[in-house]
Amino acid sequence: MANESVTLGGAPFTVGFDLDMTLIDSRPGIRAVYERLSQECGHWIDCDLVVSRLGPPLEDELANWVPAEKVAPLADRFRELYPDLAIAPTRALPGAAEALEAVRSHGGRAVVVTAKYEPNARLHLKHLGLAADAVRGWLWAEAKGEALIEYGASVYVGDHAGDVRGARIAGAYSVAVATGPLDAHGLRAAGADVVLEDLTAFPAWLDGHVAGGALAR
């Protein structure tokens, strides 16, 4: 069915993708920003621990390391530092470009729905040449479901239990990749419909999913 347009209720089907540790490995860049932020603010931050559990909102992570009254201003400073320190070191994860193209090969739309600050998410995609049909940022866990519903996404691909919850809210098929903080067992326990080792397995999975007529749940 490749190169044929698959429709759902008369509209092209849509697949949503998380960004950090799903499409991109942003750990080196995020570590660099946290290291600079720690130096500037004088509060110790375990940067290795931070990048081992990417997914939740920035403010939630900062609250582990600095007084409550400093979270908001330091989050603003983090986002200010981000373009200069985090974009260049970040790399696309294996299969990322091919996964996006696989959706288009079936006539679908690929959208990115992420907890990351949207302007910085767009910088990553542009720098790495990853073309998305739409990008929505600053959404975490269940809140991602709202954007997925708006886009009419029938599949959501992510690496975190929060991504699984977002897919559930939208009634979308949850595809989890074990490239983030949870291993395959943890992702299954979180309720993912299918778990892939990484995105290199996604095009073949999507071929079968489309052929089976399982675009809607």
Side-chain angles (χ1 to χ4, degrees), residues 6-195:
V6 178
T7 62
L8 197 61
F13 81 96
T14 299
V15 176
F17 291 86
D18 176 47
L19 185 61
D20 290 308
M21 302 315 299
T22 298
L23 288 171
I24 65 173
D25 183 353
S26 51
R27 290 173 299 182
I30 289 176
R31 181 187 285 107
V33 180
Y34 270 107
E35 287 173 348
R36 175 70 65 83
L37 197 69
S38 178
Q39 293 170 1
E40 290 186 359
C41 74
H43 291 278
W44 180 75
I45 298 173
D46 187 338
C47 299
D48 289 332
L49 177 59
V50 167
V51 299
S52 74
R53 59 188 186 192
L54 298 180
L58 169 63
E59 285 82 358
D60 290 3
E61 184 60 61
L62 283 172
N64 295 315
W65 308 103
V66 302
E69 68 273 11
K70 292 187 177 182
V71 168
L74 286 176
D76 288 341
R77 179 57 176 158
F78 182 99
R79 296 182 182 108
E80 181 182 349
L81 292 168
Y82 199 97
D84 288 337
L85 298 178
I87 302 302
T90 293
R91 297 292 179 263
L93 281 165
E98 292 81 0
L100 297 172
E101 181 54 34
V103 176
R104 296 193 186 91
S105 75
H106 288 289
R109 298 185 305 164
V111 303
V112 171
V113 180
T114 174
K116 188 179 292 296
Y117 180 52
E118 189 173 309
N120 289 338
R122 292 180 180 276
L123 287 176
H124 276 304
L125 294 170
K126 181 179 179 181
H127 178 75
L128 295 171
L130 298 174
D133 295 292
V135 181
R136 184 68 60 84
W138 269 14
L139 296 174
W140 162 240
E142 288 82 359
K144 291 184 174 185
E146 301 169 10
L148 296 173
I149 290 170
E150 179 182 335
Y151 290 129
S154 58
V155 175
Y156 185 56
V157 186
D159 65 282
H160 198 283
D163 299 325
V164 177
R165 301 201 302 272
R168 286 284 172 266
I169 290 293
Y173 202 91
S174 173
V175 176
V177 286
T179 47
L182 296 182
D183 61 13
H185 176 76
L187 292 167
R188 291 189 188 96
D193 292 304
V194 64
V195 177

